[in-house]
Amino acid sequence: MERFGQHVVGLWGRWWFVPLIPTVHAGLMAALGTLRPEHILVAAGIAGLGFASRPTRLLVAAVFPALLVGLAYDLMRFVTPFFVRPGRVWGCEMRAIELSLFSVGPNTTLPDFFHLHNAPVFDLLFAIPYAGFIYIAALYALYLFVRDRERGYVYLWAFAICHFIGFAIYMAVPAAPPWYIRAYGCVIDPTAAPSAAALLRVDQFLGIHYFEGFYSRNPNVFGAMPSLHCAFPALGLFSAWHAAGWRTRPIHLGYLAAMVLASVYLDHHWLIDGIVGIAVAGIAVMIATRLRRPFRAVAAA
């Protein structure tokens, strides 16, 4: 046992507890009666990799920011009912703000316009960034881990910071998405089921239930602002701005533009949600860049 303790301290130093955080989370879920198999798998996997060797310890340190996001997201369902209450949710107020800033006609927002003017080809086109955003972020993080590890630390910690800021805004200013106003009007119903909105047309067209199943697990219907969908490509753009040339910057810019337009076209977000999401991403990258040295020191300790 003493030998194992020396091994752990040799790997992690004073940060020896990091691989045990998912285990603590699993214990909390067990105490609350909501333990699931994936909690056990993640706890065992992270502890095993974290204490196995230096290469696996480096991998755990690299993915730790994303792991924190996952654990925080899992805890959101317990916190949300305390903050997201009918009297605090911005419903038609969001639509009024959108009309005042980005009206495209009399009493017509961009989501209203696309609700009336859409086609299967555009449904499929804009479903692509929505279907792939998680995988694109993971692949990009893996690419940075191999090619530019320091920028990878900035990207991953910015990813985490962006989510934590977003979660805080969700609680401080819960906001209804366009599809909710279209379905329920200005009445705020905390029991309303989440919806894939216009992505249901894609499910129906393809004869699948992917988007319906994915969005049915959303713990907070009233988390429209900021749009973290739009924040994801913005994180890549801002963290790569100085390193990328004009051969790769258009890819980042195009991905960001596609995601913003998709978020509005698919009835998931107001345009203001996307703008706030981009701003949050910029703040997160700025904070992570300033803290990159301690992050790198923890990862390489």
Side-chain angles (χ1 to χ4, degrees):
M1 193 67 176
E2 182 180 349
R3 201 171 192 181
F4 178 72
Q6 292 173 347
H7 170 72
V8 169
V9 172
L11 286 176
W12 289 91
R14 61 194 178 117
W15 302 98
W16 60 268
F17 58 88
V18 166
L20 296 176
I21 290 176
T23 303
V24 174
H25 178 83
L28 177 61
M29 294 298 103
L32 294 172
T34 59
L35 184 67
R36 299 193 302 270
E38 56 264 36
H39 292 136
I40 300 172
L41 289 173
V42 170
I46 294 299
L49 291 172
F51 296 137
S53 64
R54 288 194 178 276
T56 57
R57 174 244 185 260
L58 182 62
L59 177 63
V60 170
V63 303
F64 185 66
L67 177 66
L68 283 180
V69 171
L71 299 181
Y73 188 81
D74 193 39
L75 292 170
M76 286 282 288
R77 54 201 164 112
F78 301 104
V79 177
T80 297
F82 293 100
F83 293 93
V84 182
R85 301 190 301 271
R88 300 189 69 247
V89 176
W90 290 32
C92 285
E93 295 88 346
M94 289 298 298
R95 188 172 188 277
I97 293 172
E98 189 80 358
L99 280 171
S100 66
L101 295 175
F102 307 112
S103 172
V104 293
N107 198 36
T108 305
T109 64
L110 274 171
D112 295 336
F113 177 84
F114 289 127
H115 179 70
L116 297 174
H117 303 85
N118 55 75
V121 63
F122 293 114
D123 294 346
L124 292 171
L125 180 64
F126 289 123
I128 293 173
Y130 256 60
F133 74 102
I134 291 281
Y135 310 108
I136 291 172
L139 288 172
Y140 186 60
L142 179 62
Y143 167 80
L144 291 177
F145 182 76
V146 174
R147 294 296 299 273
D148 190 343
R149 195 160 295 175
E150 182 168 346
R151 184 151 59 94
Y153 293 143
V154 171
Y155 175 76
L156 280 167
W157 278 105
F159 178 89
I161 293 166
C162 179
H163 275 81
F164 296 144
I165 295 174
F167 292 163
I169 295 175
Y170 290 165
M171 299 300 103
V173 189
W179 67 260
Y180 178 91
I181 301 301
R182 209 174 311 288
Y184 296 92
C186 296
V187 177
I188 302 301
D189 180 6
T191 65
S195 172
L199 286 168
L200 292 175
R201 298 197 300 260
V202 177
D203 276 352
Q204 293 167 3
F205 182 81
L206 297 177
I208 60 176
H209 300 281
Y210 173 79
F211 291 109
E212 180 184 12
F214 184 87
Y215 285 96
S216 67
R217 297 191 292 270
N218 184 4
N220 182 16
V221 168
F222 305 110
M225 184 182 71
S227 168
L228 293 183
H229 279 94
C230 296
F232 273 41
L235 287 170
L237 173 65
F238 295 144
S239 63
W241 189 257
H242 294 295
W246 282 108
R247 285 184 298 180
T248 53
R249 278 181 191 164
I251 298 174
H252 288 284
L253 289 166
Y255 179 35
L256 176 57
M259 187 67 83
V260 172
L261 189 53
S263 71
V264 177
Y265 176 89
L266 295 170
D267 222 19
H268 280 233
H269 290 284
W270 311 102
L271 186 55
I272 188 67
D273 301 337
I275 293 172
V276 175
I278 293 169
V280 169
I283 293 169
V285 169
M286 183 170 59
I287 294 172
T289 300
R290 288 183 176 276
L291 297 177
R292 68 185 181 278
R293 288 182 179 174
F295 290 154
R296 182 179 58 189
V298 171

